[in-house]
């Protein structure tokens, strides 16, 4: 049976850049992008063309930021997709390579962030599990100084993006991917957890704020209902555009009411 032709629409670097501008992406701004390549349609050039289009829309004075998380650098005791045998846990902890911003690949955030991570001139933050990568004149300011015991809080790139009046672009991605909501978890009573990971001198355990995207879809639905969110299309993908600061402030109130969590270790 012959392979069926690809489903459209056909997306190119130029058409995508034009659609991003039409939606409201501004030259010179700072943009935190969450993305899904498959949602766009058939992209000529794949993720490279998407990154080029984003940079075209932002212009030389704009800065593109993406999450480059590495959740696999974690305690195998908590792995569930898939789990590993308990007798493997200690050998994994002993032999797991530590985080290296230059070479550690992303996991679970899609091919577009991985493309940004390896782009010439990209800078990446230091947290071994929740790093961000950035391209543009404000990249160093955003990703520098990411505290090793602050995944997505006040000493992470999220707080810097908020202060810089950055906006979030959901490019075919849902609100469950919106990392800005996590910053709100640091500003309300939240549980603390012990987080295991490989460190430069061996296995280490740090105490961190517990973060979860549970109910973020509901939070995003209410946020979009109550706050100004720019909506549009790029290729076949739904696009949403809104300020980081608006998302954090709304999530702080919403989570306190709808998803309160006990403060405990």
């Amino acid at each position: 049976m012959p392979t069926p032709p690809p489903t459209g629409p056909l997306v190119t670097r130029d058409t995508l850049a034009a659609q991003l501008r039409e939606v409201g992406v501004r030259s010179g701004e700072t943009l935190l992008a969450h993305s899904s390549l498959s949602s766009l349609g058939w992209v000529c050039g794949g993720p490279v063309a998407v990154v080029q289009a984003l940079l075209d829309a932002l212009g030389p004075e704009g800065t593109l930021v993406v999450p480059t998380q590495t959740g696999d650098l974690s305690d195998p005791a908590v792995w569930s997709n898939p789990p590993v045998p308990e007798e493997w846990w200690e050998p994994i902890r002993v032999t797991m390579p530590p985080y290296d911003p230059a070479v550690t690949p992303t996991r679970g955030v899609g091919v577009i962030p991985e493309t940004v991570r390896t782009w010439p001139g990209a800078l990446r933050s230091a947290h071994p599990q929740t790093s961000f990568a950035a391209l543009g004149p404000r990249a160093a300011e955003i990703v520098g100084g990411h505290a090793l015991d602050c995944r997505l809080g006040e000493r992470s790139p999220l707080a810097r993006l908020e202060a810089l009046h950055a906006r979030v672009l959901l490019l075919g991605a849902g609100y469950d991917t919106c990392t800005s909501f996590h910053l709100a978890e640091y500003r309300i009573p939240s549980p603390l957890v012990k987080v295991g990971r490989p460190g430069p001198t061996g296995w280490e355990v740090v105490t961190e704020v517990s973060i979860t995207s549970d109910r973020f879809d509901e939070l995003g639905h209410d946020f979009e209902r109550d706050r100004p969110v720019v909506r549009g299309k790029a290729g076949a993908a739904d696009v949403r555009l809104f300020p980081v600061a608006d998302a954090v402030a709304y999530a702080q109130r919403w989570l306190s009411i709808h998803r309160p969590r006990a403060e405990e270790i």
Side-chain angles (χ1 to χ4, degrees):
M1 180 179 294
T3 302
T7 57
L10 170 63
V11 177
T12 70
R13 170 181 177 174
D14 290 344
T15 62
L16 182 55
Q19 289 172 326
L20 290 169
R21 294 187 190 101
E22 184 176 345
V23 168
V25 174
R26 299 189 295 257
S27 179
E29 76 170 314
T30 299
L31 201 64
L32 171 59
H34 300 281
S35 56
S36 166
L37 178 65
S38 62
S39 71
L40 287 164
W42 195 87
V43 181
C44 180
V48 170
V50 175
V51 175
Q52 289 172 330
L54 285 162
L55 295 176
D56 289 345
L58 289 169
E61 298 305 313
T63 300
L64 174 64
V65 185
V66 295
T68 50
Q69 297 171 5
T70 47
D72 52 327
L73 300 188
S74 57
D75 193 339
V78 302
W79 292 355
S80 60
N81 189 29
V84 294
E86 186 171 352
E87 60 268 25
W88 292 9
W89 293 355
E90 193 54 33
I92 288 173
R93 293 179 185 126
V94 171
T95 60
M96 186 182 293
Y99 173 69
D100 182 337
V103 300
T104 302
T106 61
R107 181 179 174 89
V109 291
V111 68
I112 293 170
E114 177 65 6
T115 303
V116 173
R117 179 189 75 79
T118 60
W119 204 267
L123 300 178
R124 192 181 188 187
S125 69
H127 197 282
Q129 294 169 325
T130 56
S131 65
F132 292 79
L135 285 164
R138 290 193 134 156
E141 180 182 0
I142 291 164
V143 303
H146 192 169
L148 301 183
D149 61 348
C150 184
R151 287 184 286 189
L152 297 170
E154 306 297 343
R155 293 171 294 146
S156 79
L158 286 177
R160 296 188 182 91
L161 288 165
E162 179 189 39
L164 289 171
H165 309 290
R167 291 196 294 171
V168 176
L169 173 72
L170 298 182
L171 181 60
Y175 281 104
D176 59 317
T177 69
C178 182
T179 49
S180 298
F181 289 158
H182 288 297
L183 180 54
E185 294 183 294
Y186 285 74
R187 297 179 178 174
I188 61 176
S190 297
L192 301 178
V193 293
K194 300 292 186 181
V195 178
R197 66 195 187 195
T201 60
W203 193 255
E204 60 187 22
V205 178
V206 297
T207 300
E208 251 285 11
V209 171
S210 174
I211 55 175
T212 173
S213 57
D214 181 45
R215 299 188 69 184
F216 274 13
D217 279 335
E218 296 173 60
L219 166 55
H221 175 272
D222 289 354
F223 171 66
E224 192 170 295
R225 178 195 65 202
D226 296 337
R227 299 292 300 164
V229 173
V230 177
R231 298 186 60 182
K233 300 286 285 190
D238 291 323
V239 175
R240 291 172 172 86
L241 191 61
F242 50 89
V244 171
D246 281 6
V248 175
Y250 189 92
Q252 189 171 341
R253 295 188 298 271
W254 193 97
L255 292 170
S256 296
I257 296 169
H258 299 285
R259 204 197 69 183
R261 304 172 71 202
E263 198 170 12
E264 58 186 23
I265 294 181

